[in-house]
Amino acid sequence: MADIVSKEERSRMMSGIRSRNTKPELLVRKRLHASGFRFSLRRRRDLPCQPDLVLPKYGAAIFVHGCFWHRHQGCKLATTPKTNAEKWEQKFARNVERDVRCLSSMQQLGWRTATIWECRLREGLDETIPRLVQWLRDGDSENLDLG
């Protein structure tokens, strides 16, 4: 199936997709800050990957994942483009593999990790942020997946 826009237009559209400071990430940052949490956004050289938020005081790293790019299982936002599907599948597989390696590496270093999915922020923000705040304050479980 042919794409409905030109290659140049598609390239322009794709280049506008940000990897940092996305709307879901900004939303989580704003709510956590309002709840009294302070965090780091800087790239830390001592970490094996780049979490969206790092809270050293709580030993926690938070990842805010887009359902499309990180392939949230069973989510309606995790669609696959029909054009050049094989290339996309390979790209998505690499993303998922990198995410698994990253979470594992962070946990091996003693960090607690939380993954917040884009769809959860769209549908249940008022339940998601309080659950994240409680997880941070309790400090009990290693990994939290809010999806």
Side-chain angles (χ1 to χ4, degrees):
M1 176 179 205
D3 201 349
I4 60 173
V5 297
S6 69
K7 280 188 169 187
E8 294 79 18
E9 180 66 11
R10 177 68 60 206
S11 177
R12 186 194 64 74
M13 291 165 61
M14 295 303 286
S15 69
I17 298 173
R18 297 178 296 192
S19 61
R20 296 177 56 113
N21 299 325
T22 62
K23 286 181 184 178
E25 184 182 333
L26 292 174
L27 185 59
V28 171
R29 285 167 32 186
K30 180 179 178 181
R31 293 287 182 106
L32 280 180
H33 193 272
S35 297
F37 290 93
R38 300 303 176 253
F39 42 82
S40 172
L41 301 176
R42 296 182 306 273
R43 295 183 182 257
R44 291 185 46 155
R45 298 185 193 280
D46 61 327
L47 297 179
C49 57
Q50 302 302 318
D52 295 306
L53 302 169
V54 178
L55 294 95
K57 177 179 177 180
Y58 299 91
I62 300 173
F63 298 87
V64 182
H65 283 338
C67 297
F68 176 79
W69 293 106
H70 296 271
R71 310 315 292 166
H72 188 199
Q73 290 292 324
C75 180
K76 64 182 178 185
L77 300 176
T79 60
T80 301
K82 301 216 182 322
T83 304
N84 210 355
E86 186 176 319
K87 177 184 173 187
W88 281 105
E89 289 295 340
Q90 292 172 359
K91 165 74 174 152
F92 295 144
R94 287 190 310 267
N95 287 353
V96 170
E97 183 180 307
R98 183 187 65 236
D99 291 342
V100 169
R101 274 194 327 264
C102 181
L103 287 175
S104 177
S105 298
M106 292 294 290
Q107 290 168 358
Q108 286 176 1
L109 290 174
W111 288 87
R112 297 183 309 135
T113 60
T115 302
I116 304 171
W117 293 93
E118 171 189 12
C119 63
R120 183 69 181 258
L121 293 172
R122 288 183 181 191
E123 298 166 0
L125 178 65
D126 291 335
E127 297 86 31
T128 303
I129 299 301
R131 186 161 173 215
L132 178 64
V133 166
Q134 189 65 41
W135 174 80
L136 285 167
R137 289 191 175 135
D138 287 350
D140 54 358
S141 66
E142 287 183 9
N143 191 19
L144 177 67
D145 190 323
L146 294 170

